[in-house]
Amino acid sequence: MNPVLDYLRQHEARFISELCDYVRFPSVSAQPQHQVDMRACADWLAQHARQIGLTAEVCPTAGHPVVVAHTPRQTGARRPHFLVYGHYDVQPPEPFELWKSPPFEPRIEGRSLFARGACDNKGQHLAHLNAVEAYLKTGTELPCDLTFVVEGEEEVGSSNLAAFLQQHRAEFDVDAVVISDTGMPARNLPALTYALRGLTALEVKLTGPSRDLHSGIFGGSLDNPAMALCQLLGQLRDRHGRVAVPGFYDDVVKLTPFERKQLARLPFNETAYRKFLGVPRLFGEEGYTAWEQRAARPTLEINGLTSGYQGEGSKTIVPAWASAKLTMRLVPNQDPRRIARLVTQRLKQLCPPTVRLEVKAGHDAEAYLFSPTSPAAQAALRALQTAFGREPVLLREGGSIPIVTDFKKILGVDTLLLGLALPDDNAHSPNEKFDLDNFTAGMRLGACLWPELVAAC
Ligand code: BES
Ligand code: ZN
């Protein structure tokens, strides 16, 4: 008999319908046409937080607003205080035609809720809010103060949140940060993520002729920017799957034997993984396992390529320009700015004189590494065990959450990453979903975590 857990069970259907309401907002931070939807989504969340008994505000920033909500404060001695972070912004839903149902019209099939933002990240932080609701509505005393910070710019690099944290430092005098915005290696295998990759983004543009030209009349007498871009980018990776940029690996910290052992214990079946990805064969940096490649080694990826005619049928032109969006995923100790500089320098060296090169730096984030043996990490592992009824594993992950290193720098605290997303939840892909069993396990996690953390910190 635990009133908080009972409450969570009894109200499950309503929690699911509230998650449906939340994911109906097309809160796409990257697309200016969704500015009004962003604000409406933030308002909905703040209103929801108020309804369940928190104080909440929608706070303006230079970009999209941040929702800040506090549990009711008690008078008297300072209690442990934790910050729960999440983001209400989502990735662009395109390409629409690959969705089985519209991205912002939630659909439930079995124990899956399909919608953009369902797992990344609306469902995951809503689970924590639901747990708090259960404490407040059953009159069960929370053993600590909680502050929720749910931002609207995570998917575009969190560029305004650090300044916001600086300005409101006093409000955020917390002992640790908790984030559910990572994954689990498999269903029923809860994980504490103790490392994230960082990232740095570049946009590369090659310009050739002053306009698209007839490729029959002029082709052959000038360089083709699209071809030049392919050749240029092609030189950034060698045949061993390594990034061919001098200095790129200089600061990489080697994986320890302990870490390699931890990663080797994770479930992995090459054929199943290959089929799941839909590729004819896997590819990666030689000398590393797939888990190591995707979680703990740096990479250079082309995220998008644009040039010439993209419509139906053919158009015989030499395009005027070609551009690419690149991101480099980084591991602990690599400096995002230095890596952006090195890649830019290399592009300049390699660029032929037949085209003009322009490189624009984008957002960046440092990698994160946290000791999985700290008392807080041990407390989180116990809470995961209770919530899922399974022994959790330690995980390094390849994704990035830009603000975690700022939590350390600005607030001086570590972040516990307790992810609820499954590998097949399709984060950033068409048909994103959230597993409803993980939603309820996440609520139980939110219920068990605070007493464990308070006892440990
Ligand atoms: N939830 C992800 C981060 C993540 C996913 C971490 C899976 C670990 C495992 C987050 O929403 C995200 O997508 N972050 C971006 C950050 C970028 C835009 C700066 C990313 O990793 O691409
Ligand atoms: Zn994301």
Side-chain angles (χ1 to χ4, degrees):
M1 278 297 290
N2 175 323
V4 171
L5 296 180
D6 289 346
Y7 183 95
L8 290 174
R9 246 190 317 273
Q10 282 156 15
H11 293 264
E12 186 185 319
R14 176 173 53 84
F15 291 141
I16 293 171
S17 111
E18 284 165 353
L19 177 55
C20 287
D21 293 341
Y22 195 16
V23 295
R24 274 193 197 99
F25 292 96
S27 47
V28 185
S29 51
Q31 299 177 338
Q33 73 267 31
H34 287 296
Q35 196 150 353
V36 173
D37 301 312
M38 291 295 295
R39 173 73 209 204
C41 186
D43 286 338
W44 180 91
L45 182 64
Q47 186 53 32
H48 176 70
R50 281 180 213 118
Q51 245 165 29
I52 66 175
L54 286 82
T55 56
E57 260 186 279
V58 177
C59 308
T61 69
H64 297 298
V66 182
V67 178
V68 178
H70 297 284
T71 52
R73 292 288 182 271
Q74 292 184 348
T75 47
R78 180 190 184 275
R79 301 199 304 162
H81 182 189
F82 300 103
L83 190 156
V84 182
Y85 165 89
H87 60 94
Y88 66 87
D89 67 323
V90 303
Q91 285 276 323
E94 289 85 350
F96 288 101
E97 64 279 12
L98 294 185
W99 286 79
K100 273 184 27 193
S101 50
F104 299 108
E105 290 173 28
R107 172 173 60 91
I108 296 175
E109 198 183 298
R111 291 294 283 167
S112 298
L113 191 157
F114 288 86
R116 172 56 93 227
C119 76
D120 188 7
N121 165 259
K122 290 172 175 171
Q124 296 205 51
H125 63 262
L126 198 61
H128 285 279
L129 271 172
N130 293 341
V132 170
E133 173 187 329
Y135 270 92
L136 299 178
K137 297 286 180 191
T138 57
T140 310
E141 191 186 334
L142 261 170
C144 53
D145 294 332
L146 295 178
T147 295
F148 283 80
V149 173
V150 183
E151 69 152 318
E153 298 190 300
E154 195 273 347
E155 300 290 12
V156 288
S158 297
S159 39
N160 295 299
L161 190 58
F164 182 82
L165 291 178
Q166 283 282 12
Q167 280 160 16
H168 298 79
R169 258 218 319 266
E171 203 176 329
F172 303 131
D173 63 333
V174 296
D175 300 288
V177 175
V178 168
I179 306 182
S180 289
D181 191 26
T182 48
M184 291 164 47
R187 181 179 296 283
N188 285 322
L189 190 54
L192 169 71
T193 293
Y194 69 94
L196 291 173
R197 284 194 290 192
L199 132 170
T200 187
L202 291 179
E203 277 193 48
V204 183
K205 185 170 182 185
L206 293 189
T207 313
S210 54
R211 61 212 177 278
D212 291 352
L213 294 172
H214 192 299
S215 62
I217 301 175
F218 300 104
S221 66
L222 75 164
D223 203 352
N224 179 313
M227 178 62 85
L229 185 64
C230 293
Q231 291 181 324
L232 184 61
L233 298 180
Q235 292 176 74
L236 297 182
R237 188 176 85 183
D238 73 12
R239 344 180 242 113
H240 307 290
R242 283 173 69 85
V243 179
V245 171
F248 186 83
Y249 293 94
D250 282 1
D251 302 319
V252 170
V253 184
K254 274 197 175 154
L255 276 165
T256 64
F258 169 78
E259 291 190 284
R260 295 193 94 162
K261 210 166 120 194
Q262 290 294 323
L263 287 170
R265 281 170 51 182
L266 297 172
F268 185 72
N269 172 311
E270 181 168 335
T271 311
Y273 185 58
R274 186 176 60 66
K275 283 198 179 143
F276 168 66
L277 298 183
V279 292
R281 203 184 196 157
L282 293 179
F283 176 87
E285 188 186 357
E286 280 173 17
Y288 295 91
T289 66
W291 268 110
E292 290 168 351
Q293 289 162 351
R294 60 191 276 228
R297 292 294 298 167
T299 61
L300 182 152
E301 303 282 355
I302 301 174
N303 307 128
L305 279 174
T306 314
S307 185
Y309 179 64
Q310 316 259 337
E312 253 179 81
S314 81
K315 186 181 183 196
T316 47
I317 52 164
V318 175
W321 55 269
S323 70
K325 290 179 192 278
L326 309 182
T327 48
M328 282 62 73
R329 290 282 168 179
L330 309 176
V331 297
N333 206 41
Q334 280 184 301
D335 173 5
R337 298 262 159 86
R338 173 165 188 265
I339 295 295
R341 240 184 353 257
L342 291 175
V343 176
T344 305
Q345 266 168 19
R346 187 67 184 144
L347 288 167
K348 284 186 179 158
Q349 276 169 2
L350 295 173
C351 182
T354 48
V355 285
R356 296 172 206 91
L357 168 70
E358 203 185 318
V359 184
K360 264 199 261 168
H363 55 78
D364 56 31
E366 283 173 38
Y368 183 67
L369 183 71
F370 161 74
S371 166
T373 57
S374 75
Q378 296 301 310
L381 287 168
R382 283 192 296 278
L384 284 168
Q385 163 86 53
T386 312
F388 284 85
R390 295 289 166 102
E391 194 182 333
V393 292
L394 294 177
L395 199 61
R396 283 184 72 142
E397 284 208 89
S400 311
I401 305 177
I403 202 66
V404 289
T405 51
D406 291 312
F407 284 137
K408 183 79 189 183
K409 282 187 216 158
I410 299 169
L411 307 181
V413 294
D414 282 309
T415 295
L416 294 163
L417 297 159
L418 308 171
L420 304 170
L422 292 177
D424 66 354
D425 273 352
N426 297 323
H428 295 204
S429 297
N431 303 306
E432 176 176 347
K433 67 172 174 69
F434 191 36
D435 185 276
L436 293 174
D437 291 330
N438 280 6
F439 189 37
T440 53
M443 296 182 217
R444 290 195 297 275
L445 175 66
C448 323
L449 184 62
W450 310 118
E452 289 285 3
L453 271 183
V454 167
C457 287

